[in-house]
C-alpha cells in the first residue's frame, strides 16, 4: 500500500504564506490525479485543489487565486503553495490520489491566527 506523508504546516498570521509537501512512498504521481484536501474542526473533509497527470489544475472557489498546486513526478512529491491565508483556512491538510482512494496520511495542521 502506498504511504502518503504530508508536511509543511504550522502557525501563520492572516495574510501569510505556507508551502505544504506530500511525499508518496511509491511512484504514483505520473499517472494519477493528485489532490489536496482539508478538514476543519467539526467539518467534513473537502477537496481544495487537484492536478491531473497532464498538469491541469482545479481549485475550490474558496481558495482560487490564493493556492497553487504543483507536482514533481521524479520526487513523488506534490506541493500546495498557500498565499494570503485566512483564518478560515485553518484545518488539517491531506493529500491523496483523487481516483484511487489510498489510505490517508496523518495530514499537516495549518493554523491561521493573529
Amino acid at each position: 500500500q502506498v504511504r502518503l506523508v504530508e508536511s509543511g504546516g504550522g502557525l501563520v498570521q492572516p495574510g501569510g504564506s505556507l508551502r505544504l509537501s506530500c511525499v508518496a512512498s511509491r511512484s504514483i504521481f505520473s499517472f494519477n490525479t493528485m489532490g489536496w484536501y482539508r478538514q476543519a474542526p467539526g467539518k467534513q473533509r473537502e477537496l481544495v485543489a487537484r492536478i491531473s497527470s497532464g498538469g491541469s489544475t482545479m481549485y475550490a472557489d474558496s481558495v482560487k487565486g490564493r493556492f497553487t498546486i504543483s507536482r514533481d513526478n521524479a520526487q513523488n512529491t506534490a506541493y500546495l503553495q498557500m498565499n494570503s491565508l485566512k483564518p478560515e483556512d485553518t484545518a488539517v491538510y491531506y493529500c491523496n490520489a483523487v481516483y484511487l482512494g489510498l489510505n490517508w496520511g496523518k495530514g499537516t495542521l495549518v493554523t491561521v491566527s493573529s
Side-chain angles (χ1 to χ4, degrees):
Q1 180 61 282
V2 178
R3 183 167 172 251
L4 299 166
V5 180
E6 302 91 351
S7 63
L11 173 64
V12 62
Q13 292 187 341
S17 298
L18 283 174
R19 188 191 194 206
L20 306 184
S21 299
C22 166
V23 179
S25 58
R26 288 198 283 121
S27 178
I28 60 169
F29 287 84
S30 298
F31 304 104
N32 288 284
T33 296
M34 299 300 299
W36 278 98
Y37 300 75
R38 69 184 180 188
Q39 187 167 19
K43 296 188 177 181
Q44 289 189 333
R45 188 175 289 157
E46 62 172 343
L47 177 64
V48 296
R50 64 180 183 180
I51 183 167
S52 72
S53 57
S56 298
T57 58
M58 293 184 67
Y59 299 92
D61 288 343
S62 58
V63 306
K64 200 172 295 183
R66 301 188 298 121
F67 289 11
T68 303
I69 188 172
S70 60
R71 187 185 67 213
D72 184 337
N73 294 341
Q75 299 296 323
N76 299 330
T77 303
Y79 302 97
L80 186 67
Q81 177 67 44
M82 306 187 297
N83 300 326
S84 303
L85 283 162
K86 305 176 180 180
E88 51 264 42
D89 294 319
T90 295
V92 179
Y93 284 73
Y94 305 85
C95 69
N96 211 320
V98 173
Y99 300 114
L100 293 182
L102 302 173
N103 288 339
W104 295 96
K106 294 182 178 180
T108 185
L109 176 63
V110 173
T111 303
V112 185
S113 175
S114 54

